[in-house]
Amino acid sequence: MKLFNLKYLLFSMIAVISLGACNNDDDAQIPGMMAEASCTDGIKNGDETDIDCGGSCEPCAISLDFSGDYAQVDHMGRPGINTTLGFDMEGQPSIKDANNNTIASEMGAAFQAAFEARLEQYHDVYANLLGLDPLAVNYENNILGLDAATLTGALAADALDVAPDAPTTYFNPGTDLDNDGRILVPDGDEIALTGRSLSDDFVDVSLILFFGGAEGTRFSGQDLDDDGTADLPRLTSDGVGLTSDISDTFPYLGAPE
């Protein structure tokens, strides 16, 4: 008799606990039945990462703590621009650190002139290497139709622009929105500098904008006399492309090779 009563008591306790858990957790309309998880039930359930948010629900609010001391050391909106146009050259002081320590809204006014001077200086260096008059080898308006001042003004502010009504791309050489068949000829239909996608080869694009001229191929290692030897330097590419698929989740890296 005692053994029977003990079993009955345990069974009753389990039934009460189970019934209470269902009612408390999901506010079931029918007592004793589990309600389907939803994003408005006031409970952390389903694949939610917090109460009624995360997973398949709306993202959870992020609480950021900005207390403490911070130092601005780099921007990296357009990697390589600061390095190529702001480093020390022929005894001139480097402006790379100063550029990194300046807020984006003040960068254009502070560094455009220096960036333009460095870009023209590069052309002088290559003119001398080719045995040409530096005055005859200057920057040419690029594939976007930008002159040196406009280009370096855009690049001096090391923050990515975002175009909400256009594709996100550093430059898409296949863009031809007006279907005129012209891709590298600036005619107003190019999409560029509207952000940066993971697969954008921003180094090659930057070099093309610097040295490619109107067609994007001005200094591309051309063999002008067909003797099998390049007569012009190859300045429009670093010769390195993407070699692996990039993950579309953080930290957006490709597989090791």
Side-chain angles (χ1 to χ4, degrees):
M1 179 65 70
K2 291 182 178 179
L3 180 60
F4 174 78
N5 288 339
L6 180 59
K7 290 182 177 180
Y8 178 78
L9 178 60
L10 291 173
F11 177 82
S12 300
M13 290 175 64
I14 293 172
V16 170
I17 292 173
S18 299
L19 178 60
C22 288
N23 285 334
N24 291 337
D25 284 351
D26 289 285
D27 192 22
Q29 295 180 355
I30 301 176
M33 295 186 64
M34 298 291 288
E36 183 179 354
S38 74
C39 299
T40 58
D41 56 16
I43 305 165
K44 179 184 176 182
N45 50 20
D47 62 352
E48 298 169 358
T49 58
D50 206 339
I51 297 175
D52 293 342
C53 67
S56 55
C57 300
E58 292 291 326
C60 298
I62 299 176
S63 178
L64 301 178
D65 181 6
F66 290 104
S67 60
D69 298 326
Y70 294 84
Q72 180 173 298
V73 296
D74 207 342
H75 285 262
M76 294 296 288
R78 298 188 177 101
I81 299 301
N82 186 309
T83 299
T84 55
L85 296 179
F87 78 102
D88 185 22
M89 185 172 180
E90 294 185 2
Q92 296 186 18
S94 173
I95 59 174
K96 182 175 182 178
D97 290 340
N99 184 262
N100 281 329
N101 291 319
T102 303
I103 62 175
S105 61
E106 298 177 357
M107 293 172 107
F111 302 105
Q112 180 277 320
F115 276 22
E116 181 178 1
R118 187 59 46 83
L119 181 59
E120 292 291 358
Q121 186 179 22
Y122 281 141
H123 286 77
D124 291 344
V125 168
Y126 293 118
N128 289 328
L129 290 175
L130 295 171
L132 302 175
D133 181 358
L135 296 178
V137 183
N138 296 314
Y139 169 89
E140 290 184 358
N141 288 7
N142 61 24
I143 55 178
L144 302 179
L146 303 180
D147 59 25
T150 304
L151 173 64
T152 53
L155 298 180
D158 193 6
L160 289 176
D161 298 317
V162 176
D165 57 350
T168 298
T169 180
Y170 202 61
F171 176 70
N172 181 358
T175 299
D176 184 18
L177 294 183
D178 59 9
N179 297 314
D180 65 356
R182 298 190 299 172
I183 296 176
L184 292 182
V185 179
D187 58 358
D189 64 0
E190 295 79 14
I191 296 178
L193 305 181
T194 58
R196 192 175 81 239
S197 68
L198 294 175
S199 59
D200 283 342
D201 191 339
F202 56 85
V203 173
D204 276 12
V205 171
S206 298
L207 293 174
I208 290 171
L209 295 179
F210 291 168
F211 304 112
E215 297 293 332
T217 57
R218 185 184 183 197
F219 290 107
S220 297
Q222 292 94 327
D223 178 8
L224 300 179
D225 55 10
D226 296 322
D227 65 353
T229 302
D231 297 300
L232 294 180
R234 183 186 183 189
L235 307 179
T236 53
S237 174
D238 63 357
V240 179
L242 293 175
T243 58
S244 63
D245 294 330
I246 299 175
S247 170
D248 58 1
T249 58
F250 184 82
Y252 311 111
L253 300 175
E257 297 183 358

